[in-house]
């Protein structure tokens, strides 16, 4: 159902949501880029599909996991010589990768 309510972008991100974002990016890359998403990303998604019955997709995803997935997607775009903006900020004091849960907002902006 589509509503006019604002999205709760600060809600905690779970593993299944993170996988769905990455899966969507891989599907889009496969459809529109020469050479598609590449071996690493396609194998990652295939592994998720193969283990779907045992995965805990409702477990929280942390910032480190979110960054790792973003890094894989970004690496493929760089490999294809596409222009991609730099990741993160100059300040590294806030780079606590595993101590905090990721949010939907962070996932949308990776």
């Amino acid at each position: 159902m589509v509503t006019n309510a604002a999205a709760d972008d600060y809600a905690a991100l779970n593993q299944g949501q993170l996988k769905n974002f990455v899966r969507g990016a891989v599907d889009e890359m496969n459809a529109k880029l020469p050479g598609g998403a590449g071996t690493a990303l396609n194998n990652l998604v295939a592994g998720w599909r193969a283990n779907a019955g045992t995965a805990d997709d409702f477990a929280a995803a942390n910032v480190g996991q979110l960054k790792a997935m973003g890094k894989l997607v970004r690496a493929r775009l760089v490999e294809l010589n596409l222009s991609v903006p730099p990741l993160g900020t100059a300040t590294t004091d806030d780079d606590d990768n595993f101590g905090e849960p990721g949010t939907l907002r962070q996932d949308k902006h990776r």
Side-chain angles (χ1 to χ4, degrees):
M1 173 196 290
V2 177
T3 68
N4 291 331
D8 186 4
D9 285 349
Y10 294 98
L13 177 69
N14 68 38
Q15 297 286 329
Q17 291 166 318
L18 177 56
K19 289 176 184 178
N20 281 332
F21 277 112
V22 173
R23 208 176 283 133
V26 168
D27 288 346
E28 189 75 9
M29 293 167 85
N30 283 333
K32 297 190 176 175
L33 296 178
T39 304
L41 285 168
N42 281 306
N43 286 345
L44 179 68
V45 171
W48 290 340
R49 288 185 176 126
N51 296 314
T54 59
D56 184 4
D57 286 342
F58 294 103
N62 63 44
V63 173
Q65 292 165 318
L66 177 58
K67 287 180 179 179
M69 293 298 102
K71 185 176 179 181
L72 287 173
V73 171
R74 186 177 192 283
R76 179 59 181 158
L77 297 175
V78 168
E79 189 176 289
L80 293 170
N81 295 317
L82 296 172
S83 175
V84 290
L87 290 176
T89 61
T91 303
T92 58
D93 294 344
D94 61 353
D95 288 353
D96 183 4
N97 289 341
F98 302 103
E100 65 182 85
T103 65
L104 292 173
R105 182 177 189 278
Q106 290 169 315
D107 197 31
K108 290 178 181 179
H109 289 94
R110 278 286 160 208

